[in-house]
Amino acid sequence: MFYDRRLLIATKHGKEKVIAPLFEKSLGVACFVSDKFDTDLLGTFSGEVSRKDDALTTLRNKCLLAAEKNQCDLVIASEGSFGAHPSVFFASADDELMMFMDTKNNIEIVVRELSLETNFNASTITNEVDLLEFAHRAQFPTHSLILKQSESNFNKIIKGINDLENLKKHFGAFKNQNGAAYVETDMRAHLNPTRMMVIEKAAAKLLLAVQSKCPQCETPGFTISKALEGLPCSWCNHPTSSTLSFLYTCKKCEFTKEVLYPHQKTAEDPTYCNLCNP
């Protein structure tokens, strides 16, 4: 279905470096990038262009617009979000969505990679000592930084700072003018190796999803649609809230398959049983 077709990777931040090798080797596609569509029009991490829609809608629009501008019917794009981890309190997370879209065959496959591996951070800094401490925590200079006057002031933004001399120079200019500067990690993939590694993991996960075909109609993207609770307690055999099975559903013919014990365990530890350990 995909062999010898052109696959557009909709990015301006070097994501093709980790996506293209995987998909070219496994699917036989010819990957390419293009500047005919500026993905920053849908939102920037530095805030001067706010994302108007949720991450999934933005990702879908990115694929559709990039495909249209390049007259290409096969496209991959990703959309990252950064903030507090949904379950690990006080920890930052990189939440990456990646989509494979085939408009010719009406296929849309999405995966998610949620990772604690991120240097995402921002702070208002008033002196050089604190600036250098922030830079050290952010893994500077291998990871770039952004400086601006304040969090919500976008009149002047210095992006992609990756050497100490420029960092000190631009910080000094902001400090002389305002008494402080707002520093944040540059989360663009080509300037943030940690994020690029998470994107690579998402790409590998997406490739597996694309290669997973429906047993009934062989449409790609036969992936998990729902996790079902009910793994029994090893002591009392009462159903727990732990996962008993995964449901896989075909997006085309709606064929469904249940796979029991996806985590290779047939019973749960009593620690997680509401009857044995209320």
Side-chain angles (χ1 to χ4, degrees):
M1 184 179 288
F2 308 120
Y3 182 77
D4 210 26
R5 291 172 63 185
R6 296 173 76 235
L7 172 60
L8 169 64
I9 301 177
T11 181
K12 59 182 292 185
H13 299 143
K15 299 174 188 176
E16 71 276 5
K17 293 177 182 178
V18 296
I19 298 174
L22 291 173
F23 282 80
E24 288 184 338
K25 180 179 179 180
S26 298
L27 299 186
V29 294
C31 294
F32 72 103
V33 294
S34 169
D35 60 2
K36 292 181 180 179
F37 174 66
D38 185 356
T39 55
D40 279 355
L41 294 174
L42 298 177
T44 59
F45 291 119
S46 46
E48 68 269 34
V49 180
S50 58
R51 192 167 68 189
K52 297 178 181 178
D53 300 304
D54 62 83
L56 181 58
T57 301
T58 301
L59 178 57
R60 184 175 293 114
N61 289 337
K62 186 183 293 186
C63 286
L64 288 169
L65 290 169
E68 179 185 355
K69 291 289 185 180
N70 289 275
Q71 297 181 328
C72 180
D73 53 24
L74 199 61
V75 59
I76 284 179
S78 74
E79 184 71 12
S81 303
F82 299 88
H85 191 281
S87 58
V88 182
F89 302 121
F90 308 114
S92 295
D94 176 0
D95 194 355
E96 297 285 346
L97 291 179
M98 188 173 290
M99 178 179 290
F100 179 95
M101 180 180 287
D102 181 355
T103 58
K104 177 182 177 181
N105 294 295
N106 195 28
I107 292 172
E108 178 185 293
I109 302 171
V110 182
V111 297
R112 180 190 189 195
E113 180 69 22
L114 180 63
S115 176
L116 287 167
E117 296 298 320
T118 180
N119 71 331
F120 175 70
N121 202 0
S123 182
T124 298
I125 302 291
T126 59
N127 62 78
E128 195 171 284
V129 172
D130 290 345
L131 174 69
L132 297 181
E133 183 181 337
F134 180 97
H136 177 72
R137 293 198 308 271
Q139 303 177 60
F140 178 85
T142 59
H143 294 62
S144 296
L145 298 177
I146 295 174
L147 284 172
K148 52 189 177 183
Q149 292 176 329
S150 63
E151 181 177 5
S152 56
N153 188 329
F154 307 113
N155 291 328
K156 184 178 181 181
I157 304 176
I158 312 295
K159 298 182 180 182
I161 303 171
N162 57 12
D163 70 86
L164 188 58
E165 182 180 348
N166 276 327
L167 179 63
K168 291 181 176 180
K169 180 183 73 174
H170 292 304
F171 172 74
F174 280 119
K175 186 176 184 299
N176 290 338
Q177 185 176 355
N178 307 296
Y182 189 78
V183 59
E184 59 186 68
T185 45
D186 196 328
M187 303 312 298
R188 293 176 295 172
H190 64 305
L191 297 174
N192 196 301
T194 298
R195 183 183 176 216
M196 190 69 87
M197 288 190 292
V198 179
I199 291 172
E200 186 173 15
K201 290 180 181 179
K205 186 180 290 187
L206 181 61
L207 178 60
L208 287 176
V210 172
Q211 292 175 316
S212 178
K213 295 188 291 185
C214 172
Q216 184 161 286
C217 72
E218 295 194 340
T219 297
F222 190 64
T223 55
I224 299 169
S225 57
K226 191 175 182 181
L228 301 179
E229 298 180 352
L231 191 67
C233 172
S234 61
W235 277 7
C236 70
N237 208 41
H238 188 272
T240 69
S241 58
S242 298
T243 299
L244 173 66
S245 63
F246 283 156
L247 284 184
Y248 290 75
T249 305
C250 177
K251 299 174 181 64
K252 184 177 182 180
C253 73
E254 298 185 356
F255 172 79
T256 299
K257 179 181 179 180
E258 183 178 10
V259 176
L260 289 168
Y261 315 123
H263 299 306
Q264 288 75 52
K265 53 192 298 189
T266 57
E268 185 55 282
D269 189 292
T271 303
Y272 305 101
C273 175
N274 289 333
L275 289 182
C276 298
N277 188 27

